[in-house]
Structure formats: structure tokens, C-alpha cells
Amino acid sequence: MKRFLSVALALTMAASMLAGCSSSGTGSENTAQSGSNSAVNMSTDNQETKTPKYVFLFIGDGMSYPQIQSTSDYLGALNDEDYWQAEPSLDDNQGATLDGPEYLNFMNFEVAGSAVTYDSNSFAPDSASTATSISTGHKTYSGSINVDETGSVEYETIAEKLHSQKDYKIGVISSVNLNHATPAAFYAHQASRNDYYDIGLELVESGFEYFAGGALLKPTGAEGDQEDLYALAEQAGYQVVKTQAEAEQVTEGPVMIVDEHLADGDAMAYELDRTDDMWSLADYVEKGIEVLDNDNGFFMMCEGGKIDWACHANDAASAIHDTQALADAVQVAIDFAAEHPDETLIVVTGDHETGGLTIGFAGTDYDTYLDLLENQKISYAKFDSDYVASYKENKTSFEDVLKDVEELFGLKTEGEEGDKLVLTEYEQEQLRAAYEKSINGTAASEYEQEEYVLYGTYEPLSVTLTHIINNKSGISFTSYSHTGLPVAVLAHGVNAEVFNGYYDNTEIFNKLAEMLDVE
């Protein structure tokens, strides 16, 4: 069922329950020089380092400060009666004051650090290399998973070390495919992230107790002529579950749960498209705790992968809802930690930023109208599959398309004065050009470069709609790719204080490895 436990009320209660789990440090002794791979000494005066029994690592793929803050500001805008009156002008605000954002639960964690994300060949890195840094403490090239730059040296991951050296049970959850780059970085070792079948073989061979989320990519190989990965998993002792009814009955591992309601790319549905009868990321975390809980301890990595996919497509509303979904999953860990306050560590971070998202747009100056995003009822991907595909087949008229646009995005050609959702003539021309490109293949520009800036590799009609409603809201993107922004590292619980500071992303592994006493 849908749950939005991620905002202030729920987290305030949880934070008070967790208070005192660990001591806050200044963070100065924990700050590493950029690019350093040396482990950080976590000991402080009169303080003994504890080994957490339960470790939760949440990774928002593509999630940096802009994704977190835009979600928080959006929630604040929805719940602020004076939001539209509190304009940035003494002449216009009628004495109204902005209430501000509603903090997501992990924004209230006791420790906030930052991690630099560059990899061995880019300041705008990919998920394979950045997840490698987080899971092994090593830099590598974009596109490589847990191997060095030559592709010949393999790096053991924090999850593998805990599994073999400490007998921790291991869980890997993702809202995208289970052999996609970020989840793969906790069990696989491949020179190319695109070798999905070989990555899937390593998943089967890992022996990890719990996998859950999207389906495996290329389960019978790139040519469809290899033994099915699901069959191999069953032969290796995994219970392979593909329905919620079966998933509800699962109590122990090893198990692989594939979401019953797969959407674009055989991943879980966007949170914006998910219905109440569909399991959320939070449900998979809850089930994971049930499967993994044991006397030795467990390590769980949970990825909010579709934050990245939404930002690639410049779909702010979908990115915001999936960031909320990640916070809801974190809430499950917070609730668990409240029952195990001296044994649990929760870390929330991102692998990199995607899309160059920012709060502010040239067309709205200092104003934002973030609550306009509430009018978007469908993700760009579902609009592609459920609507644009039909438009192409039936050559649906632009006028009829606009009827769906008003229903699904709130955008319209006419309305009352001051209605921010009314399309300007400029925006209507943008939309018509995108319609012609999508439906009839008509070029919007004689310049290939301009075409790419307008649409990237996405459906022109869909991405233009999200651009327009983003911009009307005061949100904008600079890229369809990754950027070089640092990411937040937010921690709560046992040894949380070691994550204070501004350091390289490899230090996330080093800090975990030292406190967990693995070699």
C-alpha cells in the first residue's frame, strides 16, 4: 500500500526514539582528501568503536542534493496555505510568509556528510564505477563493475566480505533490474556493466540470501540461447518468486523476489504510477528484514533506481515521487532501528547526480510554483506506452492529444487569468513541434544539436510535456546524463558520526569496512 511516512511528523517521532544511539563528532578527523583510499581512524577520545549488527545502506541512484531538496520543497509547497501569496516581493506578498520545506526522514539524521563522485575517467561518472567506489573503496572506469581499469583485477565488495568473513546475511533490493549496475556492484565483477547474463550468473553464485525488485535483464543471454538464469537460481537453491501472493508467504532465504507488476525496462513501476495494491520499495525492505534477521546480523542495500531514470528523462514529478518512495523505505529501517538502537546503522546516499536538476528557472525568475507538479498524474514512461504509442498508430489529432494532456498533466490552452497551467503561445508551439516529431517524424530543427537539446533520446512529445510543467513549476534540468555534483551521505545509529565531513566516495566503503572489521 502507498505510504508517505517520509515527512516531518513521522520522522520526528522516529528521530526521538533513535536519539542517543551514537555520539556526534566534529567530523574534522574523518574528512579524507579527495581521491584518498586510506581507511579513516574512527576512534575518538574516550569512545569505543562498536560493530553494528544490522547495516542498512540506501542508495538513491541519481540522487544528490537537488533531488532531495526539490522533494522536500514540493511537500512544503503542498502544505503551505500561503505559498502562492508569499511571492518574493514586498509589494505582492500581502504579509504572507513561506513555511519552508517538509524534511524527509533522512534529512533529520544526526549526521550529514558529502561525498565526491568522480571516477577514473570522468567528473560526470556512471553508476557502475560510483557503486564500485561505494562497495569496494576503489575507483574504476565508467561502465566497469568491481574491477580495475585493466578489467583484470577483481575487487571484493563489502557485502561479499561480510558474507564470507562475518557470516552476515545479505540482502540486495532495487526498484530497477537486479542485474543493473548499482545492485550488481555488491556481488559482481565485470569489465562491462552491459554483460547482464554474466552478472546474473554471479548473482546466482553469490549465495546472498535475499534479492528483490525488478526482473533480470537478458535472463537467457544476449542471443537468447543460454540456460535461463531463473532456472539456474532455482538449481542453486533459490526460491524464485514472481507474484505478490507468493512473496507474502516468504519467510526465509535464499530467495529472489521479482516484482509482479513490471513496467518500463522490466523494472518496478514509477511511484507516480504505482497503485495501492502494488508492493512498494518499502514493502520489499520490510520483507527483507523478515528474511534476513538472525543472530549474526545482516547487511541490506536498497536502491531507489528509478530516481535516476526519471531524471535522465527530465521528469521532475516522477523523480520527486520516487525520492519519496525511497524515504518510505528508509522509514522501515528507522522503525527497525528504534527496536535495536544499539545495534543498527542506517546510511543514505546517492551514487551521482542525474540531469543537472535545479530549483529555479529563467522563465519564473525568483518565483517557484512547485505544487503545480501535483497536476502530473502519470510518468513519462507510462505516457509513452499507454498514450503516445496509440497516437502514432492512429495518427491522433493534436487537438485530441491536448485533451489527454489536460487530464494527465493539467496543461491547457485556455483558462482564467492567472492560471499558471495555461500554455503560452510559445509553449503551444513547442508542444506542436514535439507532436509532429513524435507522430509524423517531422524534424523540429535543421540542426541535430538542437534536436538533442530539445528531446535527448526520449519521446519528443513526452519529454516536452515534462519540460513545460517542470518550467512552469520553477524546476529545470541541464542534461539528460549524469553530472559531477557531490552527493549527500546521511547517517544515523551506531558509528554514524564517522560519516561527517566532505570526502571521496571510496571512503564510504573504508568507513564501513573498518567499523565492521573486515579485511
Side-chain angles (χ1 to χ4, degrees), residues 153-228:
V153 177
E154 296 184 357
Y155 302 130
E156 192 176 16
T157 74
I158 187 68
E160 291 173 313
K161 290 175 183 289
L162 288 170
H163 202 237
S164 62
Q165 298 177 31
K166 297 292 184 179
D167 201 25
Y168 275 38
K169 290 187 177 181
I170 307 296
V172 175
I173 303 168
S174 178
S175 60
V176 299
N177 314 93
L178 288 173
N179 53 351
H180 220 265
T182 302
F186 289 84
Y187 62 80
H189 315 79
Q190 297 291 329
S192 173
R193 60 178 288 174
N194 296 323
D195 291 336
Y196 295 115
Y197 189 80
D198 291 336
I199 291 170
L201 289 175
E202 291 198 75
L203 181 154
V204 172
E205 294 164 0
S206 71
F208 291 175
E209 287 76 13
Y210 183 72
F211 290 96
L216 294 171
L217 290 168
K218 307 293 183 183
T220 56
E223 304 299 325
D225 57 356
Q226 295 179 271
E227 189 168 1
D228 188 271

Side-chain angles (χ1 to χ4, degrees), residues 260-311:
E260 180 177 351
H261 304 282
L262 295 174
D264 55 310
D266 277 346
M268 290 174 61
Y270 281 99
E271 183 68 12
L272 188 57
D273 301 326
R274 188 176 64 82
T275 57
D276 288 342
D277 61 332
M278 297 161 61
W279 270 24
S280 66
L281 204 59
D283 291 312
Y284 287 110
V285 172
E286 189 171 350
K287 178 57 66 173
I289 292 172
E290 182 182 356
V291 170
L292 297 174
D293 198 6
N294 71 102
D295 291 338
N296 288 328
F298 65 72
F299 173 90
M300 181 189 295
M301 191 289 296
C302 175
E303 181 203 20
K306 299 201 79 169
I307 300 170
D308 174 73
W309 290 18
C311 288

Side-chain angles (χ1 to χ4, degrees), residues 114-131:
S114 296
V116 177
T117 64
Y118 81 98
D119 67 13
S120 295
N121 62 332
S122 183
F123 284 115
D126 91 322
S127 295
S129 61
T130 51

Side-chain angles (χ1 to χ4, degrees), residues 263-265 270 273 306 309-310 312-315 318 376-394 396 401 404-405 408-409 434-435 437-439 455-466:
D264 55 310
Y270 281 99
D273 301 326
K306 299 201 79 169
W309 290 18
H312 273 294
N314 292 180
D315 184 344
S318 291
Q376 183 175 330
K377 306 300 183 186
I378 191 172
S379 72
Y380 79 94
K382 191 169 178 61
F383 185 69
D384 282 352
S385 62
D386 291 9
Y387 290 87
V388 179
S390 174
Y391 299 156
K392 290 180 177 182
E393 182 179 351
N394 301 315
T396 306
V401 168
D404 290 334
V405 167
L408 298 171
F409 294 85
Y435 162 86
K437 176 75 172 177
S438 283
I439 309 306
Y455 311 128
T457 58
Y458 293 91
E459 189 66 66
L461 180 59
S462 303
V463 77
T464 300
L465 284 168
T466 57

Side-chain angles (χ1 to χ4, degrees), residues 396-444:
T396 306
S397 70
F398 183 63
E399 290 69 28
D400 285 340
V401 168
L402 286 178
K403 295 175 184 176
D404 290 334
V405 167
E406 182 170 357
E407 179 182 351
L408 298 171
F409 294 85
L411 300 170
K412 49 199 172 185
T413 56
E414 56 185 25
E416 295 181 5
E417 184 178 355
D419 188 339
K420 299 294 185 183
L421 290 167
V422 174
L423 294 161
T424 65
E425 289 185 12
Y426 169 62
E427 290 164 343
Q428 289 185 52
E429 285 306 309
Q430 284 183 304
L431 201 53
R432 184 178 287 277
Y435 162 86
E436 292 293 342
K437 176 75 172 177
S438 283
I439 309 306
N440 299 315
T442 307

